[in-house]
Every structure is written in structure tokens, then in C-alpha cells.
Amino acid sequence: MEFKEILGLSGCEISLNLLPKGVSVPFVHAHKQNEELYIVLEGSGKLFIDGKEIAIKKGDIFKIDPQGERCISAGDEEIKFVCIQTKANSLEQYTNTDGVICENAKPSWL
């Protein structure tokens, strides 16, 4: 499931992916500009990256540079993962430098 259209994303692309037991993404790919961040939510499998195979499991988080040649497969159980893409080297600010306290807005629990 891809969230770009559903959420109207303009700065990143997010997808939720599920590969059944023993199934692989059917191709190796790289990107022109986007780095990818993967978060394994459930299961285990293998990551093929630049000719190497690495075991991955629930809780693993890894970043792949745009030019990294990659493919993921599920192992003996299905694997569920989130993939977040964004243009490499585009982050200009992050929470500590971009966040602003809103003094006049309060939810009921504050």
C-alpha cells in the first residue's frame, strides 16, 4: 500500500509492504535520487544489497543510498515492512530545528 496519493505527501514517499512466506520482490532496483529507509515490522527474510545477502528480522531498520542495488525476500515466514523514500541530502531541518511551540493551541489533556 502506497500513501503518497492517500495522504497527499509532498516531501517523502511511504509504503507498507507485505511479502508472503518464500516470496521476493521480483526485481533488483536502484534509484536516481531517492534514498530509502526500511523498517521491518514483522517476520524475517533477506536483503540483497550491492551483491551481498543480509538476514533481516522484526525491529531492523536500515537505509539504502540511491545507487544501492536492492531486493527483499521473505524467509520461512511472511515479512511486513515500511519503506520511506526521500531525495538524498534534501533534509535541511529536523525536529530540533524545525519544530515550533504553539502557545495558544492546547488539547484537552494538557
Side-chain angles (χ1 to χ4, degrees):
M1 172 180 270
E2 295 185 5
F3 295 98
K4 182 185 182 311
E5 299 298 325
I6 295 169
L7 299 175
L9 298 174
S10 65
C12 68
E13 184 176 328
I14 302 173
S15 62
L16 177 60
N17 305 272
L18 176 68
L19 292 173
K21 173 183 172 179
V23 173
S24 171
V25 171
F27 53 84
V28 174
H29 75 285
H31 286 274
K32 296 174 186 175
Q33 296 183 33
N34 290 354
E35 67 185 17
E36 290 182 324
L37 173 72
Y38 290 85
I39 305 168
V40 181
L41 302 175
E42 295 177 8
S44 62
K46 289 185 182 178
L47 169 68
F48 174 87
I49 179 73
D50 293 331
K52 297 178 186 172
E53 293 184 5
I54 301 165
I56 56 175
K57 65 184 180 330
K58 179 180 178 178
D60 286 348
I61 300 174
F62 48 93
K63 176 197 140 213
I64 302 176
D65 291 328
Q67 66 277 7
E69 296 178 345
R70 69 207 77 170
C71 187
I72 293 181
S73 80
D76 295 335
E77 57 186 329
E78 70 180 18
I79 188 168
K80 183 187 283 188
F81 59 94
V82 172
C83 178
I84 303 169
Q85 288 188 48
T86 189
K87 184 178 178 182
N89 302 308
S90 66
L91 186 62
E92 294 179 0
Q93 295 188 38
Y94 59 101
T95 302
N96 289 343
T97 59
D98 189 57
V100 178
I101 300 293
C102 300
E103 296 292 338
N104 296 324
K106 300 278 187 216
S108 64
W109 60 85
L110 289 182

